[in-house]
Amino acid sequence: MKKIFTINCGSTSTKVAYFEDDKMISKVSLDITAEELKKMPKTLDQLNFRTEQVKRFLEDNNLFPEDFNIIVARAGTISAVPYDGAYEVNELMIASVTYAPEAQHASTLSCLIAKEISKGTKVPVIVYDPTCVDSADSIAKITGIPEITNMPVAHLLNTKMAGITYGKSIGKEYKDLNLIIVQLGGGITLGFHDHGRIADWVYDDEGPMSPQRAGVIPTRYMANFCYNSKMTLQEMRMYLCGQSGLVAYFGTQDVREVEKLIDQGDEKAEIVLKAMAYGVAKSIGQLSVIRAGKVDQIILTGGVAYSERVTCWIKELVEFIAPVTVIPGEKEMEALAAGGLRVLQGEEIHPYNVYPKGYSSIEEIIKNPSFLA
């Protein structure tokens, strides 16, 4: 029996779960209130608070890190890596997410907490299926500004799990299918999974608005908005990535609350939520062309996929492309545990050896932190 502990930090909670082989024994969401978050505006400010929450969970459940066979964390804002699967949480990864993160996102804290609770043990610590696997077609990275290369970012962990789940349901392997998989969460991301490889993607800042994100904004408006704003660069990034979308319109990221407004006859709530679904459909259409329409299935997953209203609006617009399957919710903890079990059964752990852009040593990263740190 293999004992596996998983850690997944989100914007307002830290989810932890303990597995024995593939069986989940315990799971909890360690929430952080809005008032507490206001005292910790930068992601790294939350590290000690969240770490103590996890340690209390372990104590309350009589779990001891030295007894684990492996600890698996959600990958945070690390630099692009060449493969999916497992990566060692090593000194370079810790330095990179601490002093030179690619973005301010709570997922970054997952590997830091994992490494902290493993201190004094010989338990391996890994991340699994990072968001930044660079398996995309070269043509998808070209932009209209030569100095900017659009690097792939996709919600791989849960969407790949959804693809595997769908494949099993029809007696096929995930790697035998062409799938467009949509992650409907606080941010909305889409990927074209070409036989197990994300060939192209739509990240949460280049597609539809979402519960927390602005989505793509025309540059003629965005440039004026940024230059006329009194926000700092960091404040603007945090606004676009956590305080816009449904939050900006209604003060909530909870789609259920917006649906209550619709049920009460609020026309603005209906058109804004429908606009979100409309944007998802447009992004699905955008991805459908990259293999000339050869799409076996469209899959809608994530927390917002529990909304039949939203998924029906999307399906109405895209079912002409391919059939649509809804797999609501997130199986991230199960995906992390499954990855950890595969590693314990012999799957390779990739060394993490990618330096953040502009750095060539760990010492340089620590001495010269980026503006995001």
Side-chain angles (χ1 to χ4, degrees):
M1 180 183 66
K2 303 301 184 183
K3 298 179 178 181
I4 303 167
F5 189 63
T6 59
I7 304 174
N8 177 5
C9 293
S11 56
T12 60
S13 68
T14 301
K15 295 182 177 65
V16 293
Y18 169 63
F19 291 78
E20 293 179 354
D21 291 335
D22 58 356
K23 182 180 179 182
M24 184 186 292
I25 304 301
S26 58
K27 175 185 175 181
V28 71
S29 178
L30 304 169
D31 296 331
I32 306 177
T33 66
E35 290 74 21
E36 288 166 333
L37 284 171
K38 285 178 182 177
K39 301 172 188 175
M40 303 175 284
K42 295 186 73 173
T43 300
L44 205 61
D45 297 340
Q46 303 167 24
L47 178 59
N48 289 338
F49 184 93
R50 290 180 185 249
T51 301
E52 289 306 312
Q53 284 184 310
V54 175
K55 287 181 176 179
R56 284 196 298 272
F57 168 82
L58 293 173
E59 291 173 3
D60 292 344
N61 289 271
N62 293 315
L63 295 171
F64 304 96
E66 60 269 22
D67 293 337
F68 299 147
N69 294 99
I70 196 167
I71 300 174
V72 191
R74 178 182 174 188
T77 52
I78 59 176
S79 301
V81 292
Y83 313 108
D84 59 1
Y87 282 84
E88 170 191 12
V89 177
N90 57 15
E91 189 180 356
L92 174 58
M93 185 182 294
I94 295 297
S96 298
V97 299
T98 302
Y99 299 102
E102 292 290 317
Q104 284 283 331
H105 194 280
S107 59
T108 297
L109 300 174
S110 307
C111 68
L112 296 175
I113 296 171
K115 201 65 175 175
E116 177 63 27
I117 66 171
S118 73
K119 282 184 177 178
T121 76
K122 295 182 179 180
V123 178
V125 180
I126 64 168
V127 298
Y128 204 87
D129 279 347
T131 59
C132 51
V133 176
D134 184 8
S135 62
D137 296 344
S138 297
I139 197 169
K141 305 175 193 175
I142 304 297
T143 75
I145 300 176
E147 293 82 3
I148 297 177
T149 300
N150 190 15
M151 295 301 291
V153 186
H155 203 295
L156 180 60
L157 190 61
N158 191 57
T159 57
K160 180 177 168 183
M161 188 72 170
I164 292 170
T165 300
Y166 170 73
K168 286 181 178 177
S169 75
I170 61 169
K172 292 188 177 181
E173 294 291 325
Y174 160 69
K175 292 189 176 182
D176 293 333
L177 299 166
N178 269 357
L179 305 169
I180 294 176
I181 309 181
V182 185
Q183 174 73 23
L184 296 166
I188 294 175
T189 62
L190 305 88
F192 191 107
H193 297 238
D194 180 352
H195 297 80
R197 175 178 71 89
I198 294 187
D200 204 343
W201 74 98
V202 177
Y203 191 46
D204 63 15
D205 62 353
E206 55 188 336
M209 79 161 108
S210 70
Q212 291 183 323
R213 313 283 198 272
V216 66
I217 305 293
T219 54
R220 63 187 184 278
Y221 299 127
M222 196 66 228
N224 288 339
F225 182 73
C226 289
Y227 277 94
N228 292 333
S229 170
K230 294 181 180 179
M231 296 185 210
T232 65
L233 175 60
Q234 177 64 20
E235 288 169 341
M236 179 61 73
R237 288 174 72 111
M238 296 295 284
Y239 173 77
L240 295 173
C241 154
Q243 301 160 16
S244 46
L246 298 186
V247 170
Y249 279 102
F250 307 109
T252 180
Q253 66 176 26
D254 193 332
V255 168
R256 293 168 298 183
E257 294 300 315
V258 180
E259 290 189 301
K260 287 179 184 177
L261 295 175
I262 295 172
D263 293 337
Q264 293 165 8
D266 190 323
E267 294 181 0
K268 178 183 175 182
E270 181 170 15
I271 194 168
V272 170
L273 191 63
K274 185 173 278 191
M276 187 179 84
Y278 176 77
V280 173
K282 286 173 66 175
S283 294
I284 291 170
Q286 175 184 335
L287 286 178
S288 71
V289 305
I290 74 160
R291 294 294 181 265
K294 295 175 182 176
V295 182
D296 294 309
Q297 197 79 8
I298 298 165
I299 300 172
L300 307 178
T301 189
V304 179
Y306 281 112
S307 168
E308 290 187 18
R309 181 183 263 117
V310 171
T311 56
C312 284
W313 281 338
I314 296 169
K315 288 166 70 175
E316 287 172 2
L317 296 174
V318 302
E319 281 185 313
F320 77 96
I321 298 170
V324 179
T325 294
V326 180
I327 304 176
E330 296 183 348
K331 298 291 185 182
E332 291 178 336
M333 308 311 284
E334 292 87 346
L336 290 171
L341 188 58
R342 284 192 285 270
V343 167
L344 294 172
Q345 292 170 343
E347 181 181 302
E348 177 186 6
I349 299 178
H350 305 299
Y352 183 74
N353 53 18
V354 183
Y355 285 90
K357 188 176 181 181
Y359 296 96
S360 58
S361 72
I362 293 174
E363 292 74 18
E364 188 180 0
I365 295 171
I366 295 172
K367 289 181 180 178
N368 300 289
S370 78
F371 73 93
L372 283 177

